[in-house]
Amino acid sequence: MSDGVRQVGDVGALKAIAHPLRARLLGALREHGPATATELAKRFGTDSGSTSYHLRVLAEHGFIEEAGGAGHPRARRWQAVHRVNEWSATAMAATEEGRTASAVMRRQQAQILLDDLDGFEAALPALPEEWVEASGVGDLLLRLTPESVSALWARFYAHADELAAQDAADPAARPVSIVVSGLPRTARA
């Protein structure tokens, strides 16, 4: 997998990863490395035919590729191509189809947070104290310009990349789910 960022430029590609199972498949390939449709079907409780179809859709849009390697010639191993996907919110907001696909993606990201929170709370009694202390959910309400929000995103991602590189070889490091949002607040009742 490349360490790069994939710029998703068209609505069709965004719709491809907006599908809930495809998003989960892509996430699993990023987190766990190459796998076959059969292995992924077992992980997610789906049938291998359906899983294979969704993997081919991801491949058609350039999100995954065949990994090659040993094994049965008919058992394709797939791997993620990029570490991160980004898209222009402005470009996607220009059409109803783009707005819908973007909305699905935002809600999937929020669902990931809820799922990770459920997993964290279930595992809480067994977690080491330092992980309990370091973990959490926070919220801020700041008054910022669009330029400042963009600068905040850039600094956040740059710092996150620095910390991940710093901790890459540390045996105490674990996968950590980070979900952030920066949305202008609309009037509330």
Side-chain angles (χ1 to χ4, degrees), residues 60-127:
E60 286 172 24
H61 289 280
F63 295 105
I64 66 172
E65 64 188 7
E66 284 191 55
H72 192 279
R74 291 184 52 188
R76 288 179 164 175
R77 295 191 66 72
W78 297 98
Q79 65 185 9
V81 175
H82 302 93
R83 184 177 58 89
V84 175
N85 295 313
E86 292 181 348
W87 57 90
S88 166
T90 303
M92 292 301 163
T95 67
E96 181 64 33
E97 194 175 30
R99 288 189 296 275
T100 299
S102 295
V104 169
M105 289 301 298
R106 285 189 295 271
R107 279 163 180 69
Q108 282 186 21
Q109 291 166 323
Q111 187 60 53
I112 289 168
L113 172 61
L114 293 173
D115 293 345
D116 288 341
L117 185 58
D118 288 344
F120 169 75
E121 290 171 350
L124 193 59
L127 285 175

Side-chain angles (χ1 to χ4, degrees), residues 20-71:
L21 180 57
R22 289 184 207 134
R24 290 170 56 205
L25 293 169
L26 181 57
L29 292 172
R30 285 179 173 160
E31 183 176 355
H32 303 291
T36 66
T38 301
E39 292 165 345
L40 291 165
K42 286 179 187 173
R43 175 176 285 151
F44 294 113
T46 60
D47 67 80
S48 61
S50 172
T51 302
S52 182
Y53 165 77
H54 288 295
L55 289 168
R56 287 191 310 275
V57 171
L58 289 171
E60 286 172 24
H61 289 280
F63 295 105
I64 66 172
E65 64 188 7
E66 284 191 55

Side-chain angles (χ1 to χ4, degrees), residues 150-181:
S150 294
L152 181 62
W153 282 116
R155 284 188 187 180
F156 172 81
Y157 283 114
H159 192 58
D161 287 342
E162 288 171 17
L163 293 173
Q166 166 191 303
D167 293 351
D170 189 326
R174 298 173 66 163
V176 175
S177 177
I178 308 283
V179 180
V180 296
S181 68

